[in-house]
Amino acid sequence: MADAVSLKNQGNDAFKQKDWSGAIDYYTKAIELNDKEPSFYTNRAQANIKLEAYGYAIADASKAIEIDPNFAKAYYRRAVANTLILKHSDAIHDWKAVVRKNPADKVAKAQYEACQKMVKRDAFLKAIEIADAPSAAVGLDLENMIVEDSYDGVRLKDEMTQEFLDDMIERFKTGKKLHRKYVFQIILAVKALVYDEATMVETEVAPDHMLTVCGDTHGQYFDLLEIFRLNGFPSQKHGYLFNGDFVDRGSWSTEIALLLYAYKMMYPKFFFLNRGNHETDDMNRMYGFEGECKAKYNERVFKLFSESFSALPLATLIGSKYLTLHGGLFSDDAITLDDIRKLNRHNQRQPGQAGLMMEMLWTDPQTTPGRGPSKRGVGLQFGPDVTKRFCEKNGLEAVIRSHEVRMEGYEVEHDGRCITVFSAPKYCDSTENKGAYINIESDYKLQFNKFDAVPHPDIKPMAYANNSMMSMM
């Protein structure tokens, strides 16, 4: 027991240093020496929550409850994890248990009340859901919308211009906003562009051209600009593919979304956007993008963004060699590229809890063969044998995906056939990771580039998320 406690304490030290993976290793070793101490499991659960491995956190908390049904911290951890994956109906029972066991815990009581509201809200939204709801653009008279003389930015006409882009970049650096007319105009233009693209866009890299693949940017605007500073701004000869999760968590999500959309307007054939699991309504309500849209613009802006997100392609095939999608591979070996091509994403605005779209946005690789339950509590995990079979069956060199922090910004797994790229360095100001991007020229060799986070104004991540979420992060 003394050795186990020593390992737990080393795990606590690693946790304080924000070394979540190191902390998990120590807690796991402590559990191997003594698997009857519930606090070892709840500590590991908290580290898993930091790594967004909510499914693992739920499993650890459940084990702690099995050992000690009166251990309030275990119910708390499980409630947090279920809340963070939007399983409010599951979370509410644990919040209630925490309040019952610790009636003086004001934080738990507030979380319980917030969860009750979320359950009611979810039920209300489901009840009023309309399959073919009218667009938020109905009644929006852009042609006659006045841009006041006091607006100090460059004016936008029918086509995106470099002058407008340059001005936009500088405005956002200094905390200024675009005029609402231009926000509406950009979102509607890009919604129309991406709606007409295939569910799996197929592109080639021509001689003397380059395509850069970026992973999650998560509202970290100043780190996005660092990519462009280091690697070059988009142009007709230098295309970019942003592989989902542009928004949420970071507090400049509207700035990133609008800048990426403006580049899509400027270079529609050379600038590509894949949908991520955070380009969805339920995640945007929880993790800040909805709140940010309302704070900086208005609710209609969020609704139009939501419509445009549901129109985004789900994958991009680069040179018939690299399938690029946000999450990963599938629960069924029978799925092929043709199944992605045939998928009508416009029939299903949100990914739901099952099916091809959900798996493309949510799944993760694992080191062991076969398939396993998701560490996130949503989707599944796939092993190197699954990746090998998929690549061989579809004539691919590799699958490029994002969706997960990697400490070096990228990781090559599954014998080189599964590549993760993540482009939000020092993620949420709390993880000491680098960012990365991949350059691909006409020889289709992958060139990996790492970069560090840059300073940003003193606005914390999740500044626009709901208050109950902030207290759990």
Side-chain angles (χ1 to χ4, degrees):
M1 184 61 184
D3 289 343
V5 169
S6 175
L7 286 165
K8 183 200 77 168
N9 290 337
Q10 290 178 76
N12 292 347
D13 290 340
F15 189 94
K16 290 173 186 174
Q17 297 300 317
K18 300 181 181 179
D19 179 7
W20 321 125
S21 295
I24 287 171
D25 288 342
Y26 283 118
Y27 298 141
T28 300
K29 290 174 183 175
I31 289 167
E32 288 169 355
L33 290 179
N34 183 347
D35 62 359
K36 302 300 181 187
E37 172 51 53
S39 66
F40 297 171
Y41 292 96
T42 54
N43 284 16
R44 190 168 70 175
Q46 181 64 3
N48 273 314
I49 286 170
K50 290 293 186 181
L51 286 175
E52 300 180 22
Y54 304 124
Y56 288 173
I58 290 166
D60 275 341
S62 297
K63 181 63 177 178
I65 291 166
E66 179 186 319
I67 295 168
D68 182 0
N70 292 313
F71 193 31
K73 186 178 285 187
Y75 292 95
Y76 191 100
R77 295 280 187 261
R78 192 165 70 178
V80 167
N82 271 313
T83 300
L84 291 170
I85 56 174
L86 314 183
K87 292 186 176 180
H88 303 125
S89 296
D90 292 333
I92 197 168
H93 302 293
D94 286 333
W95 287 125
K96 185 176 182 180
V98 176
V99 171
R100 188 172 64 248
K101 294 175 187 302
N102 290 330
D105 188 334
K106 294 181 180 179
V107 172
K109 186 176 181 182
Q111 294 290 0
Y112 177 46
E113 291 171 354
C115 193
Q116 287 177 307
K117 292 177 182 177
M118 290 176 189
V119 169
K120 291 176 181 176
R121 183 206 64 190
D122 291 347
F124 173 73
L125 290 171
K126 188 173 183 179
I128 64 170
E129 191 176 84
I130 301 172
D132 295 314
S135 169
V138 172
L140 189 60
D141 186 4
L142 279 181
E143 189 174 339
N144 293 310
M145 189 175 289
I146 302 297
V147 178
E148 298 81 2
D149 291 338
S150 59
Y151 182 71
D152 61 351
V154 171
R155 307 294 166 121
L156 179 64
K157 296 183 180 178
D158 294 333
E159 302 291 331
M160 182 56 60
T161 66
Q162 190 63 52
E163 183 187 17
F164 187 90
L165 271 165
D166 292 343
D167 179 67
M168 174 192 288
I169 289 170
E170 293 304 314
R171 292 184 72 78
F172 290 165
K173 279 185 187 177
T174 57
K176 291 184 177 181
K177 296 180 290 186
L178 293 183
H179 192 278
R180 65 187 183 281
K181 175 177 181 176
Y182 302 145
V183 173
F184 293 141
Q185 186 176 342
I186 291 168
I187 299 172
L188 289 173
V190 172
K191 177 188 170 185
L193 283 171
V194 298
Y195 188 95
D196 289 337
E197 291 182 326
T199 295
M200 182 177 73
V201 173
E202 302 183 43
T203 188
E204 307 282 337
V205 183
D208 300 321
H209 286 62
M210 184 165 70
L211 177 65
T212 298
V213 181
C214 298
D216 305 35
T217 49
H218 273 305
Q220 296 184 196
Y221 177 72
F222 293 87
D223 296 316
L224 170 64
L225 295 187
E226 180 69 356
I227 294 174
F228 292 152
R229 185 188 73 81
L230 292 170
N231 196 50
F233 284 81
S235 69
Q236 288 190 343
K237 285 197 167 186
H238 186 175
Y240 274 82
L241 164 58
F242 283 84
N243 196 28
D245 282 15
F246 329 125
V247 302
D248 282 339
R249 296 190 180 276
S251 295
W252 291 271
S253 292
T254 55
E255 286 81 1
I256 281 191
L258 287 167
L259 182 56
L260 296 184
Y261 274 26
Y263 274 119
K264 181 64 179 176
M265 280 183 72
M266 187 80 170
Y267 304 111
K269 300 299 183 184
F270 304 97
F271 196 92
F272 306 99
L273 300 169
N274 284 345
R275 188 179 191 179
N277 66 302
H278 276 268
E279 278 72 55
T280 55
D281 286 355
D282 52 359
M283 301 298 277
N284 294 159
R285 292 188 187 107
M286 180 66 83
Y287 286 91
F289 185 60
E290 180 183 44
E292 185 179 337
C293 286
K294 290 178 178 178
K296 294 179 179 177
Y297 296 102
N298 56 36
E299 185 175 11
R300 189 176 226 168
V301 166
F302 171 69
K303 288 182 175 179
L304 288 174
F305 264 127
S306 170
E307 292 176 22
S308 71
F309 289 165
S310 69
L312 288 169
L314 302 178
T316 301
L317 183 63
I318 303 171
S320 300
K321 293 177 179 291
Y322 303 107
L323 174 65
T324 308
L325 72 173
H326 182 72
L329 297 181
F330 312 102
S331 57
D332 187 346
D333 277 346
I335 298 297
T336 68
L337 295 181
D338 277 341
D339 292 300
I340 302 174
R341 289 185 180 101
K342 294 173 186 174
L343 177 64
N344 186 346
R345 68 192 188 279
H346 302 309
N347 286 341
Q348 182 185 349
R349 285 198 57 205
Q350 304 301 321
Q353 295 294 312
L356 200 60
M357 183 189 293
M358 182 278 290
E359 292 177 359
M360 294 176 73
L361 300 184
W362 277 99
T363 61
D364 295 296
Q366 63 183 24
T367 57
T368 54
R371 294 177 173 88
S374 171
K375 63 186 175 185
R376 299 174 185 272
V378 182
L380 58 96
Q381 294 181 184
F382 57 95
D385 55 328
V386 175
T387 305
K388 182 175 185 285
R389 288 192 298 269
F390 182 83
C391 288
E392 289 178 349
K393 187 174 186 177
N394 292 281
L396 298 171
E397 288 193 14
V399 173
I400 300 175
R401 41 91 61 183
S402 301
H403 195 38
E404 291 182 282
V405 176
R406 291 293 189 262
M407 294 309 292
E408 293 301 309
Y410 73 95
E411 186 173 359
V412 181
E413 304 171 78
H414 293 187
D415 300 316
R417 291 186 179 273
C418 180
I419 295 148
T420 299
V421 59
F422 191 84
S423 303
K426 201 170 184 180
Y427 179 46
C428 289
D429 287 353
S430 65
T431 303
E432 298 300 326
N433 64 292
K434 294 182 181 295
Y437 51 88
I438 304 170
N439 286 333
I440 306 174
E441 297 182 67
S442 58
D443 61 2
Y444 292 101
K445 295 187 185 307
L446 303 183
Q447 305 164 34
F448 297 98
N449 300 269
K450 298 186 288 187
F451 67 102
D452 293 315
V454 295
H456 60 72
D458 189 20
I459 301 174
K460 302 301 181 187
M462 305 285 287
Y464 301 96
N466 67 55
N467 292 331
S468 66
M469 172 66 71
M470 283 300 296
S471 64
M472 288 185 284
M473 299 303 290

